Amino acid sequence: MDPVFGQLLAEYPRFRTALEPAAHSRVLTVAELAAPAVIERAVVAAGELFGVTDPRHAGQLWWFSAVNALVAPSVTAMVEYGRVPDLDLGTGELFVRDPEDGCGDPGAGYWIGFTPGSFVSGSSDADPRNPQRRSGEGFTRSVAPVVESLSLVTGVKPAPLWAVVSDGVAQAAVEAGNEAFDPYLGVRTAVALVSGLGAAGPGDGVVVPQPRFLDISVTGGTVTPTDMEAVFAEEEPDGVHTVVKRASCCMIYRSPTAGKCLSCPKQKPEERERKLVSGLVP
C-alpha cells in the first residue's frame, strides 16, 4: 500500500475497513464481483442488515454503500494530498470484507472495499484530460459490468444506479473538501471526476447526471446554489459548508428501522434544507 494511504488512515481511521482487507476478507476480480451469485448474496445481506425486503430497494441500498466504500478513501486522498489514485478497480485489490463463505454473521457479502494499486498522473485542473477525470473514466469502465449485473438481478433500471455512482463520487469529494476547510476544491474535484464518468459512457443511452451543489452559510443558515464561477476561479468562500444536491436515493428509508437521510432527494426541498441547516448552524 502506498504511504499516502498510511497518512490518510492516520488522519481518517474510519476509512480502514474500506481500504484494507481484514484477515477474513476475500479478494476478488471485478468479473467475480459482477457474478449474479455475488450480487444476489449482497442483496440478501441488505435485507438481513436493514430489513429491506424488496430486492430493488435492497440492491440500490447495497450499491449506495458499495460506491462510497470503493471511492471515498481515494477521493479524499485526491483532495487532501493532491495524489490521484486510479479508480479502475482492475488496477488494485478489490475485496469483500465479510464474505459469505468466511463469516456466519448476518449481512455477510454486503461490505466491499478497494485498495488502489496505482496513481494517475497528469497536468493541471484546467486540462480537460486532468488526472481526476481519467480516474473517473476508469471507474466507469470497471464498474459497468457490476451495474449491468445488479440491474438484471434486481430489476432496477441502469439509470438510477448510475445516478448513485455520480452522487457517490461527488459526495465523497465535497465531504473531503469540507473536512479540508476548502469546500470549493472538493467541488472542483467532484466536477472533474463526474466528467470522467460521463466521458467513459455507461452506454445504452444512459446519461450520468452532472452534480449540483448547494452552499450552506454556517453562521446565517442560508442555503444557496454554489457559485460555480467562484469555484473555477479558485476562490475560497468564508464560512461555507457545501453539499451535493443529490439526484439518487439510497433507499434506507425503506428500512423499518430508519427514516429518510439528511440529504434525501425524496423529501420536500424546504424540509431537506431545514435538516441540513439544523445539522450545521448552532
Side-chain angles (χ1 to χ4, degrees), residues 106-214:
Y110 185 91
W111 301 107
I112 66 175
F114 174 61
T115 310
S118 61
F119 291 81
V120 180
S121 60
S123 55
S124 70
D125 286 346
D127 184 343
R129 295 290 301 168
N130 70 58
Q132 292 92 343
R133 178 184 170 98
R134 283 187 282 137
S135 187
E137 290 176 356
F139 191 64
T140 290
R141 287 191 296 267
S142 61
V143 301
V146 181
V147 173
E148 180 180 7
S149 181
L150 181 59
S151 178
L152 291 172
V153 166
T154 64
V156 179
K157 293 183 179 180
L161 298 177
W162 283 108
V164 168
V165 175
S166 176
D167 281 349
V169 168
Q171 197 159 309
V174 166
E175 288 176 358
N178 287 327
E179 290 188 295
F181 302 102
D182 196 347
Y184 284 3
L185 172 59
V187 173
R188 288 193 296 276
T189 302
V191 170
L193 284 165
V194 176
S195 72
L197 299 178
D204 295 326
V206 176
V207 177
V208 175
Q210 293 304 299
R212 298 171 296 168
F213 310 95
L214 298 171

